[in-house]
Amino acid sequence: MSSLAVRKTAPAAGTTPGTAQGPPLCRRIALVPTLTLLLGAIYCLLPVAWVLIAATKSGSELFSTFTFFPGTGFADNVSDLNAYRDGVYWKWMGNSALYAGVGALLSTAVSAVSGYALAIYRFRGRETIFNVLMAGVLMPPVILAIPQYLLMAKADLADSYWSVLLPLILSPYGVYLSRIYAAAAVPTDVVEAGRIDGASEWRIFTRVALPMMVPGLVTVFLFQFVAVWNNFLLPYIMLSDDEKFPITLGLFTLLEQGSNTPALYTLVITGALLAVIPLIALFLVIQRFWSLDLLSGAVKS
């Protein structure tokens, strides 16, 4: 029985063994994407770093010290924010949690049902409905804001919590994501097997398809929650009572008053920093629900 000998070539002269060999031009080109991503990361993180550092400065330190030099007034800023108008800031935070939480849940539920129906069922006009939804994805929200306000005013719902919640229930982008995910995650054979076993369509959806769609629906919920939490235009048009303001609109009113009362600038910056914490906490909590296995939900159920 013969054996094949594997010949090892010695490294070229002037090079170190174990290092990657290749033309210097190729290595330079490979650095371009890395440098581009690094510049993009710096561009995105620089405002976050500024807010984080500026929130530690008192009113006098904010305009008199170096931009990225920490201050000593963070505790006082938080205390002043709590005391401002008897803690109205936390009322705004609670309103944002209500709008974002309830709005994202309702929107995810509607997106799940709609996306599943568009992905599984075959009916006349299905593609037309989907194309209309795609047009809704491409339509800027500012175009719909005024018609939505007129509808809410006609229904006597303007300046109420419902005026902000109801327009958020239908999310064309959420329906689009749900349809794409349902088409990939829910095999038609599984649906047909449920029908053969005599299960109703609603039972097949809730007990078979929905567990398979959980990772995608978690993504829809996260997108909707962040979008509603950061929404400014719709509450700005719908609401006039500042007790119903979300955090975005509340901080905007503080910023406007800061032109006459510069001391409020520190409250705005500190409030903006605290407003980011719920989003970070939400992401850390629900990221464990994401799964690469599309059928893991059905197996567990």
Side-chain angles (χ1 to χ4, degrees), residues 148-227:
Q148 287 172 345
Y149 173 78
L150 295 177
L151 287 174
M152 292 298 163
K154 192 70 174 179
D156 199 22
L157 292 176
D159 195 26
S160 67
Y161 289 103
W162 288 110
S163 64
V164 179
L165 284 173
L166 289 178
L168 303 173
I169 293 179
L170 179 60
S171 169
Y173 187 62
V175 176
Y176 167 75
L177 288 181
S178 298
R179 182 198 174 173
I180 298 301
Y181 197 86
V186 183
T188 55
D189 295 341
V190 176
V191 177
E192 291 297 333
R195 291 170 179 167
I196 293 174
D197 291 339
S200 64
E201 295 295 329
W202 179 252
R203 186 175 179 85
I204 292 173
F205 170 69
T206 56
R207 299 300 298 273
V208 178
L210 194 60
M212 297 180 184
M213 296 172 60
V214 165
L217 296 180
V218 168
T219 304
V220 173
F221 175 83
L222 180 61
F223 283 173
Q224 277 299 103
F225 189 95
V226 174

Side-chain angles (χ1 to χ4, degrees), residues 2 14 24 34 52 105 126 138 161 165 191 193 206 222 265 272-273 280 301:
S2 61
T34 303
L52 183 62
L105 282 174
R126 184 184 71 157
L138 301 176
Y161 289 103
L165 284 173
V191 177
T206 56
L222 180 61
Y265 283 135
L273 176 63
I280 298 175
S301 63

Side-chain angles (χ1 to χ4, degrees), residues 99 141-142 144-150 152 158-170 227-228 230-240 244-246 248-249:
Y99 296 139
V142 66
L144 301 176
I146 300 300
Q148 287 172 345
Y149 173 78
L150 295 177
M152 292 298 163
D159 195 26
S160 67
Y161 289 103
W162 288 110
S163 64
V164 179
L165 284 173
L166 289 178
L168 303 173
I169 293 179
L170 179 60
V228 177
N230 294 328
N231 192 7
F232 171 80
L233 180 62
L234 184 64
Y236 181 75
I237 293 176
M238 293 291 184
L239 303 175
S240 58
K244 301 183 179 72
F245 283 0
T248 51
L249 192 54

